[in-house]
């Protein structure tokens, strides 16, 4: 559960790739912040791409530090739904304060 923050100096708009990465850095630096997302984490990957899309780089490359793709080998190309799941799992890992 995201702690109830009513006043914050650092606001991240959007919980896509960029917003989640930013939140991870802010969390590591112990900087209180909120991430505001109008749809859902990595929603653009779920509904803003054609169904057959896979990441255009291999899994070893197209990932965040410290987390591999569970069901795709390093040389595989991850389907878009799994990319979205991955970002959501990553956000959960450090309890990203997404609203
Ligand atoms: C066809 C295609 C293929 C791609 N393939 C790859 C790939 O293989 N590998 C790769 O690394 N990258 C790939 N990219 C690029 C990648 O999708 C983008 O670079 C990445 O998603 C950008 O992340 P982002 O967080 O900046 O934006 P987005 O992922 O678009 O996230 C922005 C988020 O902000 C939210 N938002 C927007 N406005 C507001 C608002 N006013 N208030 C609250 N929330 C808001 C949206 O709902 C969304 O969730 C591809 C892009 C496209 C179009």
């Amino acid at each position: 559960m995201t702690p109830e923050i009513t006043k914050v100096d650092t606001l991240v708009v959007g919980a896509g790739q960029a917003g989640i990465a930013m939140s991870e850095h802010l969390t590591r630096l112990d900087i209180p912040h909120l991430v505001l997302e109008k749809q859902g984490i990595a929603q653009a990957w779920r509904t803003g791409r054609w169904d057959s899309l896979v990441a255009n780089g291999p899994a070893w490359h197209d990932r965040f530090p410290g987390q591999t793709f569970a069901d795709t080998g390093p040389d595989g190309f991850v389907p878009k739904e799994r990319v979205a799941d991955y970002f959501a799992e990553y956000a959960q890992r450090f309890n990203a304060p997404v609203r």
Side-chain angles (χ1 to χ4, degrees), residues 2-4 10 12 14 16 21-22 33 35 38 44-45 57-58 61 92 96:
T2 306
E4 200 55 43
T10 308
V12 177
M22 177 56 72
H33 65 284
V35 184
K38 67 177 176 180
W45 281 89
H61 178 271
Q92 209 169 26

Side-chain angles (χ1 to χ4, degrees), residues 13-20 36-45 48-50 53-57 62 87:
V13 179
Q17 214 158 315
I20 295 299
L36 296 185
E37 170 54 55
K38 67 177 176 180
Q39 295 180 294
I41 294 175
Q43 189 64 28
W45 281 89
R49 307 283 186 267
W50 59 89
L53 181 77
V54 297
N56 58 11
D62 276 8
F87 290 140

Side-chain angles (χ1 to χ4, degrees), residues 31-82:
I31 297 174
H33 65 284
L34 277 180
V35 184
L36 296 185
E37 170 54 55
K38 67 177 176 180
Q39 295 180 294
I41 294 175
Q43 189 64 28
W45 281 89
R46 295 195 199 278
T47 52
R49 307 283 186 267
W50 59 89
D51 292 346
S52 59
L53 181 77
V54 297
N56 58 11
W60 68 263
H61 178 271
D62 276 8
R63 66 178 184 87
F64 284 155
Q67 185 171 312
T68 55
F69 287 95
D71 45 10
T72 307
D75 294 328
F77 290 79
V78 185
K80 71 171 184 85
E81 282 296 328
R82 281 298 298 129

